[in-house]
Amino acid sequence: MSTLIADQTEMKEVGAGHAPHHVLAETDGEASSDISNEVKVGFTASDQRDMQRMGKKQELRRNFRIVSTIGFTTCVMGTWEILLTSNTPGLIAGGRPALFWSLVWAYCGQFFIVLSLAEMASMAPTAGGQYHWVSEFAPRKYQKFLSYASGWLSTISWQSIVALDAYLVGTVVQGLISLNNESYVPTRWQGTLLVFAAAIGMSLFNIFGAKRLPLAEGIFVTCHFFAFIPVIVTLLVLAPKVKAEDVFTGFTDNGAGWPSISLTVMVGQVSSMFVVLGSDSVAHMSEEIENASVVVPKSMIWAFILNIPFAFGLLLSYLFSMPDVQASIDSPTGFPFIYVFHQALKDTAGSTVLVVVILVLLIMITISSLASASRQTFAFARDNGLPFSTWLSSVHPKLHIPVNSILFTCAFSMVMSLINIGSTVAFNALLSLSTVALMATYLICIGCIILRRINNDPPLPPSRWSLGKFGFPVNSMAMIYATWSFFWSFWPNEYQIDAQNFNWACVLFVGLMSISGVVYWVHARKMYDGPVVKVEGRRLA
């Protein structure tokens, strides 16, 4: 394994010089022109070469280092917090064992995806992420369209993740009210208004607190780790316990209604698939990270690994502390974890404190996710991939952040939360949409790099973090898992479907991608060339 993830910092690079670590070479030309001294901070010689090769101008401030970057990625993933708040679909379709074993499978499969993305991020450390990698690695005949499709898919997925996180924040607030006021009857429109407030507040933080975001991420990740202790201690010490066979082998159908328990478990695994996503968020922050071609892949791997013991520690404690699964699902608070906390403590005030801790952590996760989503949108708009690209790709001259993309992300979350007014399964729709769109981007970019490995024409760009001889098998395993996840993400959680419980993710996915097709035919096919045009222009120069 040490060979697999070895740091290849000493690898000879094409055209690499020996500029000091924080000195910007005077010969940079276009890549360094019109960049303020403030933006130059942290702009290393390696970052300079990468930006030159990719044909991009340094517009964002590189103020993230290795620790803050790992903290950022860990916080975006928010594995144990998201697991605690988003497990209802899994409990309904399969019960306790379904949640446990699907998380095991999800972690195993996602690890191959993370390794594959880490290598691509080292080859091309850009805020564009997947759509840029597709543009570089796809067969020449298809690179423009595949890159464009990947850009839309990546935008949809990350915007949906932010919308889902904001949805969780708003509805957990409703759960808190229900916990403290038994006469309160939560309504969906009230939940939507709370989502509005959450999205606006966290967008404002991303705009006016951008300069302090690395410091904030350090605080966030500290809270992420230390808040874990009181939650676990409460569950292990105070909650009633169930038998081990109930947790590991007692599969149950708690309302899904599918013909067999095997099919039920397959349908319920989507919540676990979503929990392990988020490692690639750091790729969209690449242009704000010092020494990105090494730091970004390392952060992906370390954040993914660091979250594993917390995720399984929380899940096992939670499942062993849930004597009545059906009562947890039917809790008037809307969240099984709030019911489990209350059953453990037998005290409303104490339960409220624990839920507030989870709520604060969710807010931190959403702030980080919003930063990543807005950078991805900014990058794709910079390459003319979205409508109103000039507006979306503009960078505030003083804040050095894409303010307009942040505002767009806020608006998207608010619009998506309107689903909650008309459907009881808005959460499931957003969960599935974000998962299926992100898996589609993985399928395209990893498929392209597999083809490039086979044809080797032209050879893959050099990377300072490489999979080496393990590249092809790792990429192949990643493709298998991504295909599996993509397929199951479209299924509804219940067998008997109607307008209320239908998985609207498939409608949203087809609808949004149809819009992208129309935009491509009418406008983008003339305006969008893909990053590869600039990359190849640099090579020829």
Side-chain angles (χ1 to χ4, degrees):
M1 192 61 175
S2 59
T3 306
L4 183 65
I5 58 173
D7 179 9
Q8 301 189 10
T9 342
E10 301 302 322
M11 174 185 187
K12 292 183 179 179
E13 301 179 58
V14 178
H18 301 282
H21 190 56
H22 283 89
V23 176
L24 183 67
E26 298 296 331
T27 58
D28 185 16
E30 180 186 343
S32 64
S33 61
D34 301 323
I35 308 176
S36 68
N37 289 329
E38 188 178 17
V39 178
K40 288 181 182 179
V41 173
F43 189 29
T44 68
S46 296
D47 295 324
Q48 173 194 344
R49 289 191 296 273
D50 290 331
M51 293 296 280
Q52 277 187 303
R53 187 190 70 80
M54 295 183 295
K56 302 299 182 185
K57 184 172 72 172
Q58 184 69 43
E59 298 180 272
L60 307 177
R61 184 190 299 111
R62 290 186 182 265
N63 54 356
F64 279 85
R65 307 294 184 267
I66 182 66
V67 175
S68 56
T69 305
I70 293 175
F72 172 86
T73 315
T74 303
C75 196
V76 171
M77 294 184 71
T79 306
W80 71 266
E81 298 94 334
I82 297 297
L83 178 60
L84 193 62
T85 54
S86 65
N87 57 74
T88 303
L91 287 175
I92 292 174
R96 305 183 195 90
L99 272 177
F100 176 78
W101 292 112
S102 62
L103 187 66
V104 171
W105 161 244
Y107 259 117
C108 292
Q110 188 69 20
F111 187 52
F112 293 105
I113 291 178
V114 171
L115 291 174
S116 300
L117 298 179
E119 184 181 44
M120 287 186 275
S122 184
M123 293 177 186
T126 168
Q130 285 94 314
Y131 85 87
H132 183 108
W133 303 333
V134 169
S135 183
E136 284 211 47
F137 306 144
R140 183 176 295 274
K141 183 179 178 180
Y142 305 107
Q143 61 191 191
K144 179 177 177 178
F145 177 75
L146 287 178
S147 172
Y148 176 80
S150 298
W152 267 82
L153 287 166
S154 189
T155 302
I156 290 170
S157 63
W158 276 104
Q159 293 292 333
S160 299
I161 287 172
V162 175
L164 179 60
D165 290 345
Y167 175 89
L168 286 173
V169 170
T171 49
V172 167
V173 171
Q174 276 192 303
L176 267 174
I177 299 172
S178 297
L179 178 64
N180 288 274
N181 183 2
E182 293 183 359
S183 63
Y184 173 67
V185 180
T187 59
R188 294 197 293 270
W189 68 266
Q190 290 172 336
T192 298
L193 290 179
L194 287 169
V195 175
F196 277 24
I200 293 171
M202 288 176 281
S203 298
L204 291 175
F205 183 93
N206 263 276
I207 293 172
F208 298 106
K211 198 170 184 178
R212 303 298 178 191
L213 190 57
L215 175 62
E217 294 300 337
I219 297 172
F220 291 176
V221 77
T222 301
C223 295
H224 168 78
F225 289 131
F226 283 99
F228 179 79
I229 298 173
V231 173
I232 289 295
V233 170
T234 299
L235 294 177
L236 291 179
V237 175
L238 299 177
K241 300 298 183 292
V242 299
K243 297 178 181 179
E245 53 262 35
D246 294 330
V247 173
F248 297 113
T249 59
F251 294 94
T252 56
D253 186 336
N254 298 299
W258 289 94
S260 69
I261 194 65
S262 299
L263 188 56
T264 301
V265 172
M266 293 299 100
V267 170
Q269 68 184 314
V270 178
S271 57
S272 295
M273 293 174 183
F274 178 79
V275 164
V276 301
L277 298 177
S279 295
D280 55 308
S281 60
V282 68
H284 304 304
M285 303 295 291
S286 293
E287 294 171 34
E288 297 172 63
I289 297 172
E290 178 185 355
N291 201 22
S293 58
V294 170
V295 171
V296 170
K298 280 186 174 182
S299 300
M300 284 186 182
I301 302 297
W302 278 112
F304 186 84
I305 293 174
L306 286 172
N307 270 306
I308 292 176
F310 289 89
F312 282 103
L314 182 280
L315 181 62
L316 288 172
S317 302
Y318 177 64
L319 295 179
F320 272 100
S321 303
M322 187 187 294
D324 192 336
V325 175
Q326 194 63 56
S328 301
I329 295 171
D330 296 335
S331 169
T333 64
F335 287 93
F337 83 93
I338 298 180
Y339 178 85
V340 171
F341 283 171
H342 192 255
Q343 292 299 303
L345 290 167
K346 304 295 184 183
D347 177 69
T348 300
S351 303
T352 299
V353 170
L354 279 184
V355 176
V356 168
V357 169
I358 302 301
L359 178 62
V360 171
L361 292 171
L362 285 174
I363 292 172
M364 295 175 177
I365 291 168
T366 310
I367 288 172
S368 303
S369 299
L370 198 151
S372 183
S374 62
R375 270 52 167 193
Q376 191 282 330
T377 301
F378 151 77
F380 193 42
R382 180 176 58 184
D383 285 318
N384 296 313
L386 292 170
F388 312 107
S389 287
T390 303
W391 184 78
L392 285 170
S393 62
S394 65
V395 175
H396 194 280
K398 293 183 179 180
L399 298 175
H400 301 293
I401 57 172
V403 172
N404 293 343
S405 288
I406 294 174
L407 295 176
F408 170 79
T409 304
C410 174
F412 186 92
S413 297
M414 294 167 68
V415 170
M416 294 300 287
S417 69
L418 295 175
I419 301 172
N420 187 48
I421 296 177
S423 173
T424 56
V425 290
F427 174 82
N428 290 7
L430 291 172
L431 186 81
S432 297
L433 179 63
S434 54
T435 304
V436 75
L438 206 53
M439 288 300 168
T441 67
Y442 298 158
L443 283 170
I444 297 173
C445 66
I446 296 174
C448 289
I449 202 170
I450 287 175
L451 286 176
R452 180 67 72 86
R453 288 188 191 279
I454 294 172
N455 297 329
N456 198 36
D457 182 27
L460 288 168
S463 62
R464 300 169 67 202
W465 191 99
S466 174
L467 292 172
K469 63 182 180 181
F470 296 99
F472 184 79
V474 167
N475 295 158
S476 300
M477 293 299 294
M479 283 289 287
I480 293 172
Y481 174 74
T483 303
W484 172 272
S485 300
F486 181 84
F487 174 75
W488 288 108
S489 295
F490 283 113
W491 289 57
N493 209 50
E494 298 178 29
Y495 181 65
Q496 299 293 336
I497 59 173
D498 54 32
Q500 290 294 314
N501 61 23
F502 181 67
N503 187 352
W504 290 98
C506 56
V507 177
L508 292 170
F509 181 80
V510 173
L512 290 169
M513 291 310 294
S514 298
I515 292 172
S516 76
V518 172
V519 173
Y520 180 79
W521 181 258
V522 173
H523 174 73
R525 65 191 177 98
K526 302 172 185 176
M527 300 293 296
Y528 181 79
D529 293 317
V532 74
V533 173
K534 294 181 180 180
V535 172
E536 291 180 344
R538 286 287 176 181
R539 287 173 184 161
L540 292 173

